[in-house]
Amino acid sequence: MRHLVDGRKLGRPTGHRISMLRNLAMSFFEKERIRTTVQRAKELRSVAERLITLAKRGEVHHRRQVIKVVPRRSTVKKLFDQIAPRFTARHGGYTRIIRVGPRKGDGAEMAYLELIGSEFKPKIKEKTKGKAAKKEEAKKEEGRPTPERKGKDRSAERVDVHAKSKQQVQHVKAPGE
């Protein structure tokens, strides 16, 4: 029985698990939203909420405690200066887990862990053109005939091409011939 046993082992030795959670925490505070497995997200949530609570207090001692877990100074600065002030009126519950379904490779249940109130805004991609439109653009760039240009007389262009090739051949000939 697992009475009073806190935390998950996540299939890792202790040192590896601790460093993995540290790296996840750094990424989480830098990006404010990460995609990981549900089990890792649940473990990271407790670590992240504890660190945000320390950052809200804002004293030097608390900063040193956070640096033990998150060694990157720029991330700690962001946590204390930008993230913690957002949650001054909130007592816990700084994160949310959004399940997104199984991972393709191994079927592991995936989830997003994000800060409450971060309003994640994904980058909007431009509408992609169909394959046919891309091919026509490539033809236009190369000078090949496209459906709009097929009816035009291109005989003059062909003559110029042949004239250029004859000139190139004349330059290749030896001077004594």
Side-chain angles (χ1 to χ4, degrees):
M1 290 185 274
R2 289 179 50 96
H3 293 302
L4 298 176
V5 178
D6 190 24
R8 295 167 181 83
K9 291 190 177 183
L10 301 172
R12 305 269 186 286
T14 305
H16 187 177
R17 182 175 57 251
I18 290 169
S19 65
M20 180 184 66
L21 287 172
R22 283 175 151 187
N23 290 327
L24 280 171
M26 280 191 290
S27 297
F28 177 62
F29 289 128
E30 286 172 3
K31 299 175 185 175
E32 298 185 14
R33 181 181 191 190
I34 60 170
R35 184 172 188 246
T36 184
T37 63
V38 172
Q39 301 302 319
R40 287 181 188 173
K42 287 180 179 180
E43 277 302 299
L44 179 59
R45 175 177 51 189
S46 65
V47 172
E49 295 206 4
R50 192 174 311 122
L51 294 175
I52 292 171
T53 303
L54 288 171
K56 279 173 49 176
R57 296 179 187 160
E59 296 175 12
V60 175
H61 177 63
H62 299 121
R63 186 176 292 266
R64 288 178 179 156
Q65 285 180 319
V66 170
I67 288 172
K68 284 182 183 178
V69 179
V70 181
R72 191 174 297 153
R73 302 287 173 138
S74 60
T75 306
V76 173
K77 182 171 176 46
K78 180 179 180 181
L79 177 61
F80 276 80
D81 297 343
Q82 296 174 13
I83 296 172
R86 283 194 248 162
F87 300 112
T88 52
R90 193 177 185 100
H91 302 292
Y94 313 116
T95 60
R96 77 168 59 101
I97 294 176
I98 302 168
R99 293 173 185 253
V100 292
R103 183 164 50 198
K104 269 189 176 177
D106 60 357
E109 197 66 32
M110 300 299 287
Y112 283 107
L113 179 70
E114 64 182 11
L115 287 172
I116 300 287
S118 64
E119 285 86 30
F120 179 74
K121 296 175 186 171
K123 294 179 182 176
I124 299 171
K125 294 182 181 178
E126 294 180 16
K127 291 184 179 179
T128 56
K129 298 177 182 176
K131 288 182 181 179
K134 286 182 183 178
K135 285 182 182 179
E136 285 186 30
E137 278 188 20
K139 286 180 183 179
K140 285 179 185 177
E141 289 174 5
E142 293 176 11
R144 294 182 185 169
T146 58
E148 308 119 22
R149 294 175 51 188
K150 275 189 177 175
K152 294 182 180 178
D153 182 31
R154 293 177 46 100
S155 60
E157 292 177 19
R158 290 188 188 124
V159 171
D160 292 338
V161 171
H162 292 299
K164 287 180 184 177
S165 63
K166 286 181 182 177
Q167 288 173 356
Q168 290 173 354
V169 171
Q170 289 174 355
H171 291 294
V172 173
K173 289 183 182 177
E177 294 179 12

